[in-house]
Amino acid sequence: MSRDASVQVLDCTIRDGGYINNWDFSPRMVRDVYQRLSRAGVDFVEIGFRDAEPAGTPLWRQCPEEELSKIKKGIQGAKICVMVDFGKAGPEDFMPAKDSAIDMVRIAVHKDKVIRALDLALKIKAKGYMVSIQLMGYPQYNTPERDELFRRLKDSLLDYVYVADSYGSLLPDQVRALVEPLVAIESFKVGFHPHNNLQLAFANALEAIKAGANIIDCTLYGMGRGAGNLATETLLTYLQQKAVDKYNVNAALYCVDMYFLKIRKQYEWGYQLPFMLSGACQCHPFYAKELVETRRYDIEDIWKALRVIKGYNPVGFDRSLLKQVMDSGMFEYGQLPEEEISRDGMKGMEGKGKVTSECETPTYLNRYKDTPFLVLANGPNLRKCAEDISRFVEKYNPVILGANYLEGTIMPHYHAFVNKKRFIQYVHTVDYRSKLLLSHYLPDEFIKEYTDRSFERICFLRGNRNKLFIKDGVISSDCSSTSMLLIAVAAVMGASEIFVAGMDGYLIPDENNSYYFYPEEDATSSPEFNMLRHRWGERTLELLDDYLIKSGRSGVNIITPTSYDRYYRGINSLIEPESDR
């Protein structure tokens, strides 16, 4: 028999695919999938997790024995697995194996807890189960960590040890060096769990088989979090050519056709830019996902940030590290050397880095002393209330500052860009009568690539999100949007009162499920991320309002409907005739 034909196959669709739809698979479907996969020649089917979770947790996050027994009843099929996220279940959560429908327990663990996970595996094995350790992020282990692991594994009594390409970062020519040293230990079988961030899951699986891997993980239609996994039907198509008497890919294709084509229309997985970036930079996909979703940074900035994050070799996703990198000021300061950024040294870096023009007293300081200002943001109510806003402009004759895309609404006197991506997308839409205001972090040579118009520089330093300083016209703050930064710019220009239109907030999208009056990618951000943006906005407005009031002005006045309720001042109260009040 060829080496390929002797390889075992573990399908983990219900477990790993469950991240996509919150494990919303009916027991009837799971039983049918299990039966079909057994017919396809799959050796193991991983149904879900065994986690000691509270009531209300999805069924396949708990995998109660009575449900697993129903799945398996009357079917002489594949062995059944469940996975334990280390720390979420213990040996007390498993009955003796002879009384259980479970054949193997797989323990997923990051490197900082792997020694304790080996102890847990030993206790579960003592109950009669096969046990496996899933080495999460294994390609990121350094040499001393691997040497210590090998020493521990030699006497571990494990049945399987898995190389998990958790970030989908492996290239085919890197696989052998990871798999062969484990194969050489010989006291257990070696598994390989590929992810498809770089579209190399299948190629990497073939290399793992050549290097001696005994078992390969896969999912139907590649269903899985992010870029997804190696598709079961792809692997079986290959293996069936090597062992026609063992595999039946048509049974797996039946499942894809019957269930997963429909699920794929409802939920998204597969190749996406954030997951490709995480694979290329060898870090958890949530780092890339959140950086992309902010829409504040261009791809060069994101790439640079992910390389810095990779340098810390973090375990899993560390939100505090992401925040430190985002708050460090490295993105738009230009050529800030990575070696100058340390995890403990990011605080206090505000204002450092090389920029193309010095952040000095702006030319527009007190240019419009005691003049009302109107700031245009980009929420749907900017367009919906355009007629009333025009009446407001006619009555008060304010200086108008606008942010990003405004075409078809109100023409501003000054049109501002702070973010590279927004500048590239929308600078061509700026009315010729509007003056450009550009962040001094945008290099001259970069600006000249996209416009030959004259411009003034907005002088600000990215600082602490919880503080706002203005000295000699230079603003120090991490304003959460360009339009909020323009409120501070209006104050520097000498505004007597500052009104804002189109600052709707991120609590409730409009009827087109958008937070902008024009089609915008941000509308697809997760509800959790939009809530975070809303909280950032609230904090920024609080700082701006406090500054304005302390400087003798009336604070922030948002004159179109907004979920920042505290600052709302209805536009009709400002434009209706005095006689009607």
Side-chain angles (χ1 to χ4, degrees):
M1 182 181 290
S2 70
R3 174 79 190 93
D4 308 81
S6 65
V7 170
Q8 294 178 307
V9 176
L10 187 151
D11 182 281
C12 51
T13 305
I14 305 304
R15 195 272 305 171
D16 213 349
Y19 285 110
I20 295 294
N21 66 346
N22 197 32
W23 296 273
D24 184 20
F25 304 107
S26 71
R28 180 178 177 180
M29 172 188 168
V30 173
R31 177 174 166 82
D32 191 25
V33 167
Y34 171 69
Q35 185 172 26
R36 302 283 177 173
L37 287 172
S38 297
R39 187 177 299 168
V42 166
D43 299 276
F44 293 87
V45 174
E46 189 168 62
I47 302 297
F49 287 91
R50 173 61 60 86
D51 286 349
E53 297 281 0
T57 302
L59 181 63
W60 309 118
R61 284 291 308 191
Q62 302 179 60
C63 288
E65 284 291 341
E66 60 271 21
E67 291 296 335
L68 294 180
S69 296
K70 293 176 185 177
I71 298 300
K72 197 173 186 179
K73 185 177 179 181
I75 302 174
Q76 298 301 313
K79 294 180 175 63
I80 285 183
C81 304
V82 295
M83 179 169 277
V84 171
D85 274 335
F86 180 73
K88 293 188 176 181
E92 67 279 4
D93 296 301
F94 293 89
M95 63 175 63
K98 63 181 179 63
D99 302 318
S100 173
I102 298 169
D103 297 289
M104 181 161 69
V105 177
R106 304 207 299 170
I107 302 170
V109 62
H110 287 289
K111 62 183 179 181
D112 57 331
K113 299 180 177 68
V114 70
I115 305 305
R116 285 186 285 158
L118 290 173
D119 180 61
L120 172 62
L122 187 63
K123 292 176 180 177
I124 293 175
K125 187 172 180 64
K127 293 195 169 190
Y129 296 94
M130 288 186 286
V131 289
S132 170
I133 289 288
Q134 201 94 345
L135 299 172
M136 306 293 286
Y138 182 67
Q140 281 68 52
Y141 280 46
N142 59 36
T143 299
E145 289 167 342
R146 287 181 189 166
D147 289 344
E148 174 63 14
L149 176 66
F150 296 158
R151 188 179 70 81
R152 297 274 187 166
L153 288 177
K154 286 180 180 178
D155 302 314
S156 64
L157 300 179
L158 293 169
D159 295 283
Y160 294 88
V161 173
Y162 262 87
V163 172
D165 184 16
S166 302
Y167 307 146
S169 59
L170 282 179
L171 304 178
D173 60 3
Q174 299 171 327
V175 173
R176 183 174 294 273
L178 297 175
V179 172
E180 282 187 338
L182 291 168
V183 172
I185 297 177
E186 295 186 342
S187 60
F188 47 77
K189 293 181 178 180
V190 176
F192 184 64
H193 182 92
H195 283 171
N196 213 20
N197 297 56
L198 297 177
Q199 302 294 283
L200 290 171
F202 184 46
N204 288 337
L206 297 185
E207 288 298 318
I209 293 170
K210 292 177 185 177
N214 306 100
I215 186 168
I216 304 295
D217 284 7
C218 50
T219 62
L220 290 162
Y221 213 35
M223 186 179 184
R225 184 165 50 184
N229 304 327
L230 169 61
T232 301
E233 61 275 13
T234 301
L235 180 60
L236 292 182
T237 297
Y238 170 78
L239 293 176
Q240 184 169 299
Q241 297 178 37
K242 308 293 180 179
V244 68
D245 58 342
K246 180 178 179 182
Y247 298 107
N248 174 15
V249 70
N250 282 328
L253 291 172
Y254 169 90
C255 294
V256 173
D257 182 54
M258 180 61 68
Y259 300 110
F260 294 94
L261 291 177
K262 187 183 301 183
I263 294 173
R264 184 64 178 80
K265 290 180 180 179
Q266 184 177 1
Y267 299 97
E268 186 174 18
W269 70 83
Y271 182 85
Q272 295 175 50
L273 179 61
F275 305 118
M276 180 272 163
L277 292 173
S278 68
C281 295
Q282 301 174 29
C283 60
H284 195 287
F286 284 7
Y287 291 112
K289 184 174 184 292
E290 295 210 9
L291 286 168
V292 170
E293 282 189 349
T294 64
R295 312 304 300 169
R296 293 175 61 181
Y297 314 118
D298 73 0
I299 202 66
E300 292 182 24
D301 293 329
I302 293 171
W303 185 267
K304 180 168 59 176
L306 292 175
R307 287 172 58 209
V308 172
I309 289 168
K310 174 192 172 184
Y312 300 132
N313 199 20
V315 176
F317 176 62
D318 183 347
R319 185 174 294 280
S320 65
L321 172 58
L322 177 63
K323 184 178 185 302
Q324 285 179 310
V325 173
M326 292 174 73
D327 290 349
S328 70
M330 66 171 288
F331 286 100
E332 294 177 2
Y333 287 132
Q335 304 300 314
L336 185 62
E338 291 178 12
E339 59 269 19
E340 291 185 12
I341 304 174
S342 67
R343 188 166 186 175
D344 297 325
M346 287 184 176
K347 295 179 180 177
M349 287 182 58
E350 297 83 1
K352 293 185 179 180
K354 300 175 183 178
V355 296
T356 56
S357 60
E358 294 299 321
C359 192
E360 54 193 16
T361 300
T363 54
Y364 51 71
L365 177 64
N366 290 324
R367 181 177 290 169
Y368 301 98
K369 192 81 171 159
D370 299 324
T371 303
F373 272 68
L374 173 64
V375 172
L376 304 178
N378 308 113
N381 282 311
L382 184 69
R383 173 165 287 168
K384 292 177 182 177
C385 300
E387 186 177 331
D388 286 341
I389 296 170
S390 296
R391 290 169 60 201
F392 173 89
V393 170
E394 184 178 354
K395 180 173 182 178
Y396 291 93
N397 192 29
V399 176
I400 305 173
L401 310 181
N404 300 322
Y405 182 76
L406 296 169
E407 192 172 52
T409 54
I410 310 297
M411 187 196 76
H413 298 96
Y414 295 87
H415 199 130
F417 296 95
V418 172
N419 171 293
K420 287 181 181 177
K421 189 156 194 164
R422 297 281 195 254
F423 176 79
I424 293 170
Q425 286 176 303
Y426 301 127
V427 67
H428 69 281
T429 70
V430 176
D431 192 286
Y432 72 94
R433 292 166 292 182
S434 299
K435 176 95 171 180
L436 278 178
L437 276 178
L438 304 179
S439 161
H440 76 199
Y441 298 125
L442 300 181
D444 287 339
E445 58 273 19
F446 167 78
I447 295 169
K448 290 175 183 177
E449 286 184 45
Y450 298 97
T451 185
D452 58 1
R453 297 175 57 150
S454 62
F455 57 87
E456 282 187 278
R457 293 286 190 177
I458 303 174
C459 294
F460 76 104
L461 303 175
R462 288 207 183 280
N464 191 311
R465 182 169 285 136
N466 293 310
K467 294 181 181 178
L468 170 71
F469 300 103
I470 300 178
K471 183 177 180 181
D472 297 327
V474 178
I475 303 158
S476 178
S477 179
D478 185 11
C479 289
S480 58
S481 70
T482 303
S483 52
M484 290 189 181
L485 176 63
L486 288 180
I487 296 174
V489 171
V492 172
M493 286 186 168
S496 56
E497 283 189 286
I498 300 174
F499 303 93
V500 186
M503 191 168 284
D504 297 7
Y506 296 96
L507 282 186
I508 304 173
D510 70 357
E511 62 274 11
N512 298 314
N513 196 36
S514 178
Y515 297 93
Y516 298 86
F517 73 82
Y518 52 92
E520 176 59 37
E521 291 167 310
D522 292 53
T524 62
S525 298
S526 68
E528 295 79 11
F529 183 71
N530 286 323
M531 180 58 72
L532 182 62
R533 289 199 295 185
H534 191 82
R535 289 200 297 268
W536 288 345
E538 285 181 327
R539 179 57 181 150
T540 302
L541 284 171
E542 182 180 354
L543 295 170
L544 290 165
D545 191 65
D546 184 62
Y547 173 83
L548 292 173
I549 290 171
K550 285 181 178 178
S551 63
R553 287 168 273 212
S554 64
V556 177
N557 300 282
I558 302 177
I559 60 175
T560 53
T562 178
S563 49
Y564 298 124
D565 298 325
R566 176 178 169 186
Y567 308 99
Y568 179 56
R569 184 177 178 184
I571 192 169
N572 284 320
S573 68
L574 295 164
I575 61 177
E576 64 184 14
E578 292 290 335
S579 59
D580 294 342
R581 294 188 182 181

